[in-house]
Amino acid sequence: MAEDFRKQGGSGVVALIGGTDGKAAVTVAATSDIIERVNAADLARAAVIAMGGQGAGGKPDFAQGGAPDGSKAEDGLAAIRTALAG
């Protein structure tokens, strides 16, 4: 789904957080024109850590991770916003 959104937009970052059974999955995708400034793996890692997880992995343009507390999805998105602003 993140890949589809990334292809539809122009330049930017797609961040998706979904939950199942109280846990969360985080996916972050960045368009190729901004990966010199924005690293999807760093953004996913920030979200997962903000949600009580250990980290995430992937490539500069696409990364995923999991977190134990899906109720903290807003915290994960806030961490991504903060990382992008900094």
Side-chain angles (χ1 to χ4, degrees), residues 20-48:
T20 302
D21 297 326
K23 297 180 181 177
V26 176
T27 302
V28 179
T31 55
S32 61
D33 63 315
I34 64 169
I35 59 173
E36 289 183 17
R37 300 183 317 265
V38 175
N39 185 310
D42 292 342
L43 296 176
R45 190 173 304 110
V48 168

Side-chain angles (χ1 to χ4, degrees), residues 70-84:
S71 70
K72 293 186 177 181
E74 284 299 324
D75 293 340
L77 291 173
I80 291 172
R81 286 186 202 104
T82 298
L84 288 170

